[in-house]
Amino acid sequence: MSHTLGIRQAQKQKTRQALLDAALRLLEEQSLSSLGLREVTRAVGVAPTAFYRHFRSTADLGVALVEEALGSLHPMIRTTVSANGDPDERIARAVELISGHVARHPAHVRFIARERHGGVQPVRQAIQDQLARFGEEVKHELAKDPVSTGWSDDDLLMLANLYVDQMLMTASLFLDALEGTEEERERVVQIATRRMRLISIGRHHWLD
Amino acid sequence: MSHTLGIRQAQKQKTRQALLDAALRLLEEQSLSSLGLREVTRAVGVAPTAFYRHFRSTADLGVALVEEALGSLHPMIRTTVSANGDPDERIARAVELISGHVARHPAHVRFIARERHGGVQPVRQAIQDQLARFGEEVKHELAKDPVSTGWSDDDLLMLANLYVDQMLMTASLFLDALEGTEEERERVVQIATRRMRLISIGRHHWLD
DNA sequence: CCATGCAGTTAACAACTGTTCTCCAGAATT
DNA sequence: AATTCTGGAGAACAGTTGTTAACTGCATGG
């Protein structure tokens, strides 16, 4: 259904993406609240004023980056949580999946971890919203599991958000270990796996 | 053993503290990587050059803030974890303690949450170091508990760090709810309590 | 084919930044 | 009482920032 956009809009989206990419790279070594608009345009090679054709401000660009980083992650989350197999296998697959995602998109992960509690309110809000959506989706998947029979809605949401937070912390650990040795990364796998396992155990005995 | 410092050093520490206080206030609405040295001195009412008498840079000031925010917290952590009473009572007391601390020092908590993954490497490192110390201390207290018999050192540390991370996330939740209604804060208490309880359950069945 | 729209440019603005150097008042030391 | 030390002030620097205005070239729709 995508009739090819004119050569005009195509160019616009191209520079827009260039701005996003340049910003993401610059944000590896600083926070969004110190990212200058001129800094971004200089990195791309366009005039400072061109920035305004795409974003109102760097905060606005930040919100767009949140969408780029988390927007496409929802299907992945769903299938991961609802995967079948015995608990330990599911945990191993989830950890592996996080590890791979961090290795493939380190800058995105760093951006989210950094700006989740960062100094720019609209961006914080956008991240919170996306994470809340993740929470709801995970809860919806957990509800299907027979283990969840007898659970209250509040308890299910609590567990779902615990999982979401755990994913983020794990991602952050993998990020720190990215430039380290293979041993370090393996250690992160061990830690993350055991944390998930402990939570899983708590889940199975919740109603005792 | 504290022979009163001369009127000279006293004044110095006074302005130093004023700089730290002003910075902490400014950091409620931005990240450290965008905090300007002139901005801080202006807020205090001293010349920009006076800043250099106390800190090499704003990053240096940030490291000092980490010490101020977390340095005095170690005894509190220890006594909290090693408290006696039945599990649910201990959890309730811990949550209450976190809630009180956040209400008393919101700016400090915000600073730590923000800069833990922030854009200033030395500050990130300082926070990581302090949190690692917390982890070791919590582990040491957990080891005393009869529930921990049979646990490997690695597993104990894993659980300890899980608790530390949980404390931080809870603190962050309380922070968000600070300016909200009493109901919101009560809701955070519920969520945090149930998370801790689930972890506690997982802990008790770890060796099954 | 011509007129409109619009992504990107150029130039200029006032305001701000970190840092250096020189200086001073007054506490500390002798 | 004389000297040294030092926390802070003052002025100046080159460089940066966000934002405005008027422009140009070119794809687009009539």
Side-chain angles (χ1 to χ4, degrees):
Chain A
M1 216 75 291
S2 62
H3 91 350
T4 41
L5 359 314
I7 164 168
R8 184 136 210 178
Q9 302 217 16
Q11 255 305 328
K12 177 165 185 179
Q13 290 211 357
K14 207 171 171 182
T15 55
R16 185 190 134 102
Q17 191 58 45
L19 289 170
L20 288 170
D21 292 349
L24 199 61
R25 196 174 58 79
L26 290 166
L27 285 172
E28 295 190 26
E29 294 164 343
Q30 61 183 311
S31 307
L32 183 64
S33 81
S34 68
L35 182 71
L37 140 182
R38 294 183 98 105
E39 201 178 348
V40 179
T41 57
R42 193 186 314 132
V44 173
V46 301
T49 49
F51 187 91
Y52 293 107
R53 300 289 182 193
H54 304 276
F55 309 102
R56 241 177 273 258
S57 62
T58 52
D60 198 23
L61 179 146
V63 172
L65 276 179
V66 172
E67 174 63 23
E68 181 175 292
L70 298 181
S72 66
L73 230 60
H74 294 273
M76 177 172 141
I77 298 279
R78 292 188 90 94
T79 58
T80 303
V81 176
S82 64
N84 41 11
D86 87 285
D88 274 11
E89 270 180 27
R90 291 168 63 173
I91 290 174
R93 224 175 313 169
V95 171
E96 198 65 28
L97 203 100
I98 295 170
S99 167
H101 182 78
V102 173
R104 226 170 311 119
H105 310 287
H108 278 124
V109 173
R110 173 171 291 117
F111 170 73
I112 295 298
R114 185 156 293 172
E115 301 304 330
R116 179 183 187 188
H117 304 281
V120 183
Q121 203 270 338
V123 174
R124 276 201 314 263
Q125 190 62 247
I127 296 178
Q128 303 273 42
D129 290 351
Q130 289 282 347
L131 294 185
R133 271 187 60 196
F134 284 141
E136 289 291 346
E137 289 164 3
V138 170
K139 173 192 153 197
H140 190 254
E141 293 301 323
L142 288 177
K144 297 180 185 172
D145 195 311
V147 179
S148 302
T149 49
W151 281 57
S152 77
D153 240 43
D154 271 9
D155 283 353
L156 265 181
L157 188 56
M158 180 275 293
L159 178 63
N161 283 324
L162 184 56
Y163 274 132
V164 171
D165 284 336
Q166 200 53 47
M167 286 182 200
L168 246 78
M169 306 208 36
T170 301
S172 177
L173 286 178
F174 275 119
L175 195 61
D176 291 342
L178 247 196
E179 288 155 2
T181 69
E182 177 59 39
E183 264 179 337
E184 284 183 76
R185 256 163 287 143
E186 181 54 35
R187 174 143 186 79
V188 172
V189 170
Q190 292 301 327
I191 292 172
T193 302
R194 285 191 279 211
R195 281 191 178 198
M196 297 279 276
R197 192 174 295 151
L198 190 135
I199 292 175
S200 175
I201 293 174
R203 181 190 173 202
H204 280 81
H205 292 81
W206 182 246
L207 293 179
D208 297 356
Chain B
M1 214 74 291
S2 63
H3 92 350
T4 41
L5 0 316
I7 165 170
R8 186 138 208 176
Q9 302 218 17
Q11 255 305 328
K12 180 167 186 180
Q13 290 213 357
K14 206 170 172 182
T15 55
R16 186 189 134 102
Q17 191 57 48
L19 288 170
L20 288 170
D21 292 349
L24 199 60
R25 196 173 59 80
L26 290 167
L27 285 171
E28 295 190 25
E29 294 164 344
Q30 63 183 310
S31 306
L32 184 64
S33 82
S34 68
L35 182 69
L37 137 185
R38 295 183 97 107
E39 200 178 348
V40 179
T41 57
R42 192 188 313 131
V44 174
V46 299
T49 50
F51 186 91
Y52 292 106
R53 302 288 183 192
H54 303 276
F55 308 102
R56 243 178 272 255
S57 61
T58 51
D60 198 24
L61 178 146
V63 173
L65 276 180
V66 173
E67 173 64 25
E68 181 175 291
L70 297 182
S72 67
L73 230 60
H74 294 274
M76 178 170 140
I77 298 280
R78 294 187 89 94
T79 59
T80 303
V81 176
S82 65
N84 39 14
D86 87 288
D88 274 11
E89 272 181 26
R90 290 169 62 173
I91 290 174
R93 225 175 313 169
V95 172
E96 197 65 26
L97 203 100
I98 295 171
S99 167
H101 183 77
V102 173
R104 226 170 310 119
H105 310 287
H108 279 125
V109 173
R110 173 171 291 119
F111 170 73
I112 295 298
R114 185 157 291 173
E115 300 304 329
R116 181 183 185 187
H117 303 282
V120 183
Q121 202 269 337
V123 173
R124 274 199 319 261
Q125 190 62 248
I127 295 177
Q128 302 273 43
D129 291 350
Q130 290 282 348
L131 294 185
R133 272 186 62 196
F134 285 140
E136 288 290 345
E137 289 165 1
V138 170
K139 172 191 154 198
H140 190 255
E141 294 301 324
L142 288 177
K144 296 179 185 172
D145 196 312
V147 179
S148 302
T149 50
W151 282 57
S152 78
D153 241 44
D154 269 9
D155 284 352
L156 265 180
L157 188 57
M158 180 275 293
L159 179 62
N161 283 324
L162 183 55
Y163 274 132
V164 171
D165 284 336
Q166 201 52 48
M167 286 182 203
L168 247 77
M169 307 207 36
T170 302
S172 177
L173 285 178
F174 275 119
L175 196 60
D176 291 342
L178 247 194
E179 289 155 2
T181 68
E182 176 60 37
E183 261 178 340
E184 284 183 76
R185 256 164 287 145
E186 182 55 33
R187 173 143 186 80
V188 173
V189 170
Q190 293 300 327
I191 292 172
T193 301
R194 284 191 279 213
R195 280 191 177 199
M196 296 280 274
R197 193 176 293 152
L198 189 137
I199 293 174
S200 176
I201 293 174
R203 181 188 174 201
H204 281 81
H205 293 81
W206 182 246
L207 294 178
D208 296 357

